[in-house]
Amino acid sequence: MQTLQAQIQIPPEFVLISKVEYEELLNNTLDGKFLSLKEVAEHIGCSTAYLKNEILYHPRYKEEIEKWCHFPTSSGDHYRFHAKSLYQFLDRESVKLFLKKKY
């Protein structure tokens, strides 16, 4: 095996970190973040009507979703989704959710 030693200057506006630390930082960007109904629909590429009818109010998922989603309770109230929990749910259930996807 051949090796090469090199010295590279890193500009002061950049920081060198390990891959593990970088991945942890990426995962932490969702901590405490909430998303709107429109943001979720855009993220998964469907209409808000599909999201409500086929996912949010589907008996199979509703009980779990209620743990990390705020459903509107009055006029002017909005849906709010805990981003990290939502993305974990979508990763786990994506195949089931989108096999019958209709727009």
Side-chain angles (χ1 to χ4, degrees):
M1 177 189 288
Q2 296 181 2
T3 62
L4 173 68
Q5 288 186 356
Q7 201 171 33
I8 302 170
Q9 290 185 346
I10 301 172
E13 63 269 12
F14 292 95
V15 176
L16 187 63
I17 61 172
S18 71
K19 184 176 181 180
V20 171
E21 189 175 0
Y22 172 72
E23 289 172 353
E24 287 175 358
L25 288 170
L26 286 177
N27 287 333
N28 291 340
T29 60
L30 296 177
D31 286 349
K33 183 173 183 176
F34 285 81
L35 303 171
S36 69
L37 183 69
K38 184 178 177 184
E39 289 171 319
V40 174
E42 287 173 359
H43 177 75
I44 63 176
C46 71
S47 68
T48 56
Y50 177 88
L51 178 58
K52 287 192 273 188
N53 296 332
E54 300 296 326
I55 300 173
L56 298 182
Y57 291 101
H58 191 291
R60 180 178 186 169
Y61 308 115
K62 191 170 190 301
E63 187 176 322
E64 179 183 354
I65 290 171
E66 287 175 331
K67 295 174 187 174
W68 42 262
C69 173
H70 168 75
F71 286 79
T73 56
S74 63
S75 179
D77 198 1
H78 302 283
Y79 290 91
R80 288 288 174 225
F81 302 87
H82 182 257
K84 194 175 223 177
S85 299
L86 169 74
Y87 290 152
Q88 289 170 348
F89 169 78
L90 292 173
D91 285 344
R92 188 178 61 254
E93 301 291 337
S94 61
V95 173
K96 294 176 206 163
L97 291 171
F98 300 108
L99 280 176
K100 60 178 185 159
K101 186 174 174 183
K102 302 171 201 152
Y103 296 93

PDB file of all heavy atoms in Angstrom, residues 5-9:
ATOM      1  N   GLN A   5       1.523  11.895   2.347  1.00  0.00           N
ATOM      2  CA  GLN A   5       1.306  12.858   3.418  1.00  0.00           C
ATOM      3  C   GLN A   5       1.164  14.228   2.776  1.00  0.00           C
ATOM      4  O   GLN A   5       1.954  14.595   1.917  1.00  0.00           O
ATOM      5  CB  GLN A   5       2.472  12.850   4.397  1.00  0.00           C
ATOM      6  CG  GLN A   5       2.511  11.610   5.259  1.00  0.00           C
ATOM      7  CD  GLN A   5       3.599  11.707   6.318  1.00  0.00           C
ATOM      8  OE1 GLN A   5       4.364  12.659   6.360  1.00  0.00           O
ATOM      9  NE2 GLN A   5       3.643  10.705   7.180  1.00  0.00           N
ATOM     10  N   ALA A   6       0.132  14.945   3.193  1.00  0.00           N
ATOM     11  CA  ALA A   6      -0.110  16.269   2.635  1.00  0.00           C
ATOM     12  C   ALA A   6      -0.542  17.213   3.746  1.00  0.00           C
ATOM     13  O   ALA A   6      -1.093  16.787   4.758  1.00  0.00           O
ATOM     14  CB  ALA A   6      -1.193  16.193   1.558  1.00  0.00           C
ATOM     15  N   GLN A   7      -0.314  18.470   3.524  1.00  0.00           N
ATOM     16  CA  GLN A   7      -0.744  19.488   4.471  1.00  0.00           C
ATOM     17  C   GLN A   7      -1.701  20.414   3.729  1.00  0.00           C
ATOM     18  O   GLN A   7      -1.368  20.960   2.682  1.00  0.00           O
ATOM     19  CB  GLN A   7       0.467  20.268   4.981  1.00  0.00           C
ATOM     20  CG  GLN A   7       0.221  20.960   6.261  1.00  0.00           C
ATOM     21  CD  GLN A   7       1.524  21.535   6.817  1.00  0.00           C
ATOM     22  OE1 GLN A   7       2.394  21.945   6.074  1.00  0.00           O
ATOM     23  NE2 GLN A   7       1.632  21.549   8.128  1.00  0.00           N
ATOM     24  N   ILE A   8      -2.938  20.524   4.266  1.00  0.00           N
ATOM     25  CA  ILE A   8      -3.969  21.329   3.614  1.00  0.00           C
ATOM     26  C   ILE A   8      -4.390  22.436   4.563  1.00  0.00           C
ATOM     27  O   ILE A   8      -4.718  22.170   5.726  1.00  0.00           O
ATOM     28  CB  ILE A   8      -5.193  20.453   3.241  1.00  0.00           C
ATOM     29  CG1 ILE A   8      -4.758  19.324   2.319  1.00  0.00           C
ATOM     30  CG2 ILE A   8      -6.293  21.288   2.612  1.00  0.00           C
ATOM     31  CD1 ILE A   8      -5.811  18.274   2.086  1.00  0.00           C
ATOM     32  N   GLN A   9      -4.412  23.646   4.067  1.00  0.00           N
ATOM     33  CA  GLN A   9      -4.854  24.767   4.888  1.00  0.00           C
ATOM     34  C   GLN A   9      -6.374  24.863   4.819  1.00  0.00           C
ATOM     35  O   GLN A   9      -6.965  24.811   3.745  1.00  0.00           O
ATOM     36  CB  GLN A   9      -4.235  26.071   4.394  1.00  0.00           C
ATOM     37  CG  GLN A   9      -2.758  26.169   4.653  1.00  0.00           C
ATOM     38  CD  GLN A   9      -2.195  27.522   4.253  1.00  0.00           C
ATOM     39  OE1 GLN A   9      -2.826  28.296   3.551  1.00  0.00           O
ATOM     40  NE2 GLN A   9      -0.998  27.805   4.723  1.00  0.00           N
TER      41      GLN A   9
END
